[in-house]
């Protein structure tokens, strides 16, 4: 991920928080400086990409496995982690 930030084509392919017609369109609880890729399977949720307004942006990967959580609960936990990361 760190090297990927140097590739404009790669970074531009990632969704931006609130961007229309992307997986992050309705994830308004995420930081506005987020560029990320999502992935889900039953009981598993992943989010990876970059966050932060200063360069270089902070690379991150969040992978959660919990069969009893709903998608909404996964998203809430991811948002909480990213809010902490932005403040770090």
């Amino acid at each position: 991920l760190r090297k990927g930030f140097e590739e404009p084509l790669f970074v531009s392919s990632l969704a931006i928080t609130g961007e229309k017609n992307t997986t992050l369109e309705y994830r308004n609880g995420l930081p506005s400086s987020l560029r990320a890729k999502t992935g889900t399977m039953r009981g598993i949720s992943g989010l990876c990409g970059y966050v932060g307004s200063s360069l270089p942006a902070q690379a991150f990967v969040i992978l959660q496995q919990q069969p009893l959580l709903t998608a909404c609960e996964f998203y809430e936990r991811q948002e909480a982690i990213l809010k902490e990361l932005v403040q770090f």
Side-chain angles (χ1 to χ4, degrees):
L1 275 176
R2 288 183 187 164
K3 284 288 191 185
F5 193 73
E6 298 170 7
E7 297 295 330
L9 185 60
F10 173 70
V11 174
S12 68
S13 72
L14 300 174
I16 300 171
T17 303
E19 183 178 19
K20 192 172 179 141
N21 297 321
T22 70
T23 56
L24 299 179
E25 181 175 3
Y26 300 108
R27 302 277 304 270
N28 297 325
L30 295 171
S32 60
S33 61
L34 180 78
R35 287 186 162 274
K37 174 71 180 119
T38 63
T40 57
M41 292 176 21
R42 186 178 8 193
I44 300 172
S45 180
L47 183 67
C48 68
Y50 306 97
V51 67
S53 53
S54 60
L55 296 176
Q58 179 69 44
F60 72 90
V61 176
I62 301 170
L63 184 59
Q64 301 168 276
Q65 180 182 5
Q66 177 49 266
L68 302 178
L69 290 182
T70 65
C72 204
E73 290 170 315
F74 275 128
Y75 297 162
E76 288 172 0
R77 290 179 179 197
Q78 291 170 352
E79 290 167 10
I81 292 167
L82 286 168
K83 285 178 184 174
E84 289 294 320
L85 184 59
V86 168
Q87 294 176 8
F88 179 70

